[in-house]
């Protein structure tokens, strides 16, 4: 009996000890879990603040562009006026010019492109046109038939069709250069329709300044009023082509080539190492390399070349993914060289913000995820996070609105845009463009990550149609 009582007492003691140990274990586990979640929350909070600061830095570019535009506009336009009034050489002394039109599965659009090219006002014996066709569908046969027709009419039109698409557009342009010797090369995408006086306008400054690498004209739009998507794109792109691009030129920042509607000096292309096919934005890559090599660039805001806009949100988003990935690839490729270069620190900082603009989508996605984690764990520092979020939002909204108003006002005063927008309409469209930007940002976040990691992908063309007006 005594032994049984002793065993029962011992079991109770052991049971109480086990319960105590379990309680201590639960307590220690709870403390460790709380500490771990606290570390996760604080880490998320700090990272969120960093993301918001980076978004504010990118939004600062808009405010900076508006300020620089207002500061340099008068002197910049005067310099452009003087550049466009420089005399051309005598007719028999005009230089030979090569027109390059890269195409890929464009169908009957090549006819319109060639019609515009052969209509350019330049001595026929010093004008050669290359149709650089990499088509993989029935467009290849259309290109052959169309070029043959123009050649029968006496035009110097050459068709170059490759059996592969190595380097995509950059590879096609390089193949065309290897078959030619003209000192000046004009590049047009298939959907752009230059006016007859394009060459006589844009070659004036190139002939007057031997250190100019290229002259970029302003891209305009054939179908801007087709629907809400194209109308919003007009607001976005007019802010870029009528405000940002001329401002970069006037302020001495690195000016990116837009891939079309421009004339390059062959010597500058060769000195910069030629077209490279290792990014999806070969135009951005070459223009940066040329200007890092000491060449200059000129933007002509008063010379416009109309082209087509994607007419659906899906095709526009596809285009944005390609552009943003190309920016990420170019940033990965060139930013180390830019920092090691002899460029002034101001231009280096601007290049970081310019090329780093592709990270906006990543920052938006990361901010949303981090904000959710922060709120769930109850660790946000509202006194810091909310002002930073409000600052970035206000900077972006006011900067976008200011650029939209500036571009609309400038083009209206220049007599370019006959259909002016009212203030309320501009505000409404600006809000819509911000929604489109965030949509494209979320859509292209994965593409930007792949670009930063150096993962290659194919070139996905933006669908185009053979029409002159929307």
């Amino acid at each position: 009996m005594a032994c049984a009582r002793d065993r029962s007492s011992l079991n109770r003691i052991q049971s109480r000890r086990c319960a105590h140990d379990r309680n201590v274990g639960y307590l220690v586990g709870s403390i460790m879990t709380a500490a771990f979640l606290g570390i996760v929350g604080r880490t998320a909070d700090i990272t969120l603040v960093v993301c918001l600061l980076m978004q504010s830095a990118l939004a600062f570019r808009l405010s900076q562009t508006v300020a620089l535009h207002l500061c340099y506009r008068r002197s910049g336009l005067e310099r452009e006026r003087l550049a466009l009034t420089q005399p051309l050489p005598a007719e028999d002394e005009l230089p030979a010019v090569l027109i390059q039109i890269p195409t890929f599965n464009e169908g009957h659009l090549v006819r319109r492109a060639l019609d515009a090219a052969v209509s350019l006002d330049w001595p026929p014996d010093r004008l050669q046109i290359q149709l650089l066709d990499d088509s993989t569908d029935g467009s290849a046969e259309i290109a052959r038939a169309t070029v043959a027709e123009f050649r029968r009419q006496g035009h110097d039109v050459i068709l170059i069709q490759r059996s592969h698409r190595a380097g995509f557009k950059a590879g096609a342009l390089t193949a065309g250069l290897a078959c030619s010797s003209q000192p000046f090369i004009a590049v047009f995408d298939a959907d752009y329709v230059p006016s007859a006086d394009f060459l006589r306008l844009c070659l004036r400054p190139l002939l007057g300044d031997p250190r100019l690498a290229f002259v970029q004209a302003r891209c305009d739009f054939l179908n801007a009023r087709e629907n809400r998507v194209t109308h919003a794109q007009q607001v976005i792109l007019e802010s870029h082509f009528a405000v940002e691009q001329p401002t970069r030129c006037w302020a001495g920042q690195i000016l990116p080539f837009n891939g079309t509607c421009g004339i390059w000096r062959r010597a500058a292309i060769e000195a910069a190492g030629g077209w490279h096919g290792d990014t999806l934005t070969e135009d951005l890559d070459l223009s940066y390399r040329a200007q890092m090599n000491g060449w200059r660039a000129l933007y002509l805001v008063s010379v416009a070349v109309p082209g087509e806009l994607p007419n659906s949100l899906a095709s526009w988003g596809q285009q944005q993914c390609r552009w943003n990935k190309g920016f990420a690839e170019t940033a990965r490729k060139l930013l180390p060289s830019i920092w090691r270069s002899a460029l002034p620190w101001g231009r280096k900082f601007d290049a970081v913000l310019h090329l780093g603009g592709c990270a906006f989508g990543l920052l938006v996605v990361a901010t949303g995820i981090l904000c959710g984690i922060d709120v769930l764990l109850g660790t946000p520092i509202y006194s810091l996070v909310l002002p930073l979020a409000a600052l970035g939002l206000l900077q972006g909204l006011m900067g976008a609105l200011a650029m939209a108003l500036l571009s609309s006002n400038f083009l209206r005063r220049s007599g370019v845009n006959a259909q002016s927008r009212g203030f309320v309409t501009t505000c409404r469209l600006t809000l819509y463009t911000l929604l489109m930007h965030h949509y494209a940002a979320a859509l292209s976040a994965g593409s930007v990550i792949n670009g930063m990691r150096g993962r290659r992908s194919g070139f996905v063309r933006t669908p185009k149609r053979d029409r002159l007006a929307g």
Side-chain angles (χ1 to χ4, degrees):
M1 291 287 293
C3 290
R5 283 195 299 272
D6 289 343
R7 283 196 298 272
S8 176
S9 176
L10 182 61
N11 288 337
R12 285 196 299 272
I13 292 172
Q14 289 175 342
S15 177
R16 283 196 294 270
R17 285 178 178 174
C18 289
H20 177 267
D21 290 343
R22 284 196 299 271
N23 290 335
V24 170
Y26 290 147
L27 179 61
V28 171
S30 298
I31 292 173
M32 292 181 65
T33 301
F36 174 74
L37 291 177
I39 293 173
V40 171
R42 286 304 172 203
T43 303
D45 201 40
I46 293 170
T47 309
L48 175 61
V49 169
V50 172
C51 287
L52 290 172
L53 286 172
M54 293 175 70
Q55 288 185 65
S56 294
L58 293 178
F60 166 75
R61 279 194 63 237
L62 298 179
S63 304
Q64 180 195 41
T65 299
V66 170
L68 291 174
H69 182 85
L70 294 173
C71 178
Y72 289 107
R73 181 169 61 184
R74 177 172 296 181
S75 60
L77 289 175
E78 177 61 19
R79 289 199 301 271
E80 179 173 326
R81 186 189 67 80
L82 293 175
L84 290 175
T85 56
Q86 294 186 56
L88 284 171
E91 198 73 7
D92 58 351
E93 296 178 1
L94 291 174
V97 176
L98 174 68
I99 308 293
Q100 289 190 313
I101 306 173
T103 61
F104 176 65
N105 296 346
E106 307 290 0
H108 291 283
L109 195 63
V110 297
R111 175 177 294 279
R112 189 182 74 185
L114 289 177
D115 271 330
V118 299
S119 299
L120 290 169
D121 181 14
W122 204 253
D125 60 326
R126 268 154 283 164
L127 182 66
Q128 185 179 81
I129 301 164
Q130 288 181 344
L131 187 66
L132 309 172
D133 183 55
D134 282 353
S135 295
T136 56
D137 62 5
S139 301
E141 181 56 38
I142 293 173
R144 284 190 288 269
T146 306
V147 168
E149 179 183 337
F150 277 91
R151 288 186 65 83
R152 285 194 298 270
Q153 296 172 7
H155 301 293
D156 189 2
V157 181
I158 295 175
L159 175 64
I160 298 177
Q161 291 181 313
R162 301 188 297 165
S163 58
H164 55 80
R165 294 192 67 212
F168 306 116
K169 182 177 176 179
L173 293 169
T174 300
L177 289 178
C179 302
S180 62
S181 60
Q182 290 85 351
F184 297 101
I185 298 97
V187 180
F188 297 102
D189 284 343
D191 55 316
Y192 281 87
V193 186
S195 59
D197 61 352
F198 177 85
L199 294 179
R200 291 189 178 269
L201 289 172
C202 293
L203 274 165
R204 292 173 188 268
L206 272 170
L207 294 174
D209 185 351
R211 292 304 298 170
L212 268 185
F214 68 89
V215 167
Q216 173 70 62
R218 178 172 57 83
C219 297
D220 205 352
F221 321 109
L222 293 167
N223 60 328
R225 301 304 176 100
E226 181 177 346
N227 56 41
R228 183 177 294 182
V229 174
T230 58
H231 201 176
Q233 287 178 75
Q234 180 188 24
V235 176
I236 295 171
L237 292 175
E238 281 182 353
S239 297
H240 174 65
F241 293 128
V243 177
E244 183 185 5
Q245 283 287 77
T247 301
R248 295 187 68 84
C249 177
W250 301 338
Q253 298 170 345
I254 293 179
L255 177 70
F257 179 55
N258 292 128
T260 182
C261 310
I263 305 179
W264 274 89
R265 190 186 303 272
R266 181 186 289 267
I269 295 175
E270 294 173 348
W275 296 100
H276 290 179
D278 54 354
T279 75
L280 291 176
T281 47
E282 69 294 319
D283 44 7
L284 178 70
D285 174 35
L286 178 59
S287 51
Y288 258 81
R289 284 187 282 114
Q291 289 167 83
M292 288 168 60
N293 203 30
W295 292 88
R296 294 191 300 275
L298 179 66
Y299 189 83
L300 298 177
V301 68
S302 61
V303 180
V305 182
E308 289 186 14
L309 295 169
N311 69 335
S312 70
L313 195 60
S315 57
W316 179 78
Q318 184 183 80
Q319 184 188 66
Q320 295 302 302
C321 285
R322 187 181 76 241
W323 286 354
N324 281 318
K325 182 177 183 180
F327 261 75
E329 290 172 332
T330 304
R332 181 178 186 270
K333 174 181 178 179
L334 295 184
L335 279 180
S337 301
I338 291 172
W339 279 111
R340 292 193 302 268
S341 72
L343 291 173
W345 282 102
R347 296 186 79 185
K348 291 180 180 180
F349 180 69
D350 173 76
V352 171
L353 291 181
H354 181 237
L355 294 176
C358 62
F360 176 71
L362 285 179
L363 294 174
V364 168
V365 173
T367 298
I369 294 173
L370 292 168
C371 188
I373 294 173
D374 224 5
V375 171
L376 284 174
L377 297 179
T379 55
I381 306 175
Y382 289 109
S383 60
L384 182 59
V385 170
L386 291 180
L388 282 176
L391 174 63
L393 182 62
L394 185 63
Q395 276 186 316
L397 179 61
M398 297 307 294
L401 180 59
M403 290 182 70
L405 290 170
L406 276 175
S407 61
S408 177
N409 179 62
F410 171 75
L411 295 176
R412 185 181 70 252
R413 291 174 59 186
S414 303
V416 175
N417 190 355
Q419 296 179 305
S420 61
R421 295 185 298 267
F423 178 77
V424 175
T425 302
T426 302
C427 290
R428 177 172 53 81
L429 285 170
T430 300
L431 289 174
Y432 188 63
T433 64
L434 289 176
L435 293 176
M436 287 178 62
H437 272 305
H438 281 78
Y439 161 78
L443 197 65
S444 61
S447 298
V448 171
I449 292 175
N450 288 335
M452 290 178 173
R453 294 175 59 192
R455 296 185 62 178
R456 304 291 298 277
S457 63
F459 183 95
V460 181
R461 69 179 286 272
T462 304
K464 308 179 187 77
R465 296 154 302 147
D466 184 9
R467 60 185 300 172
L468 287 173

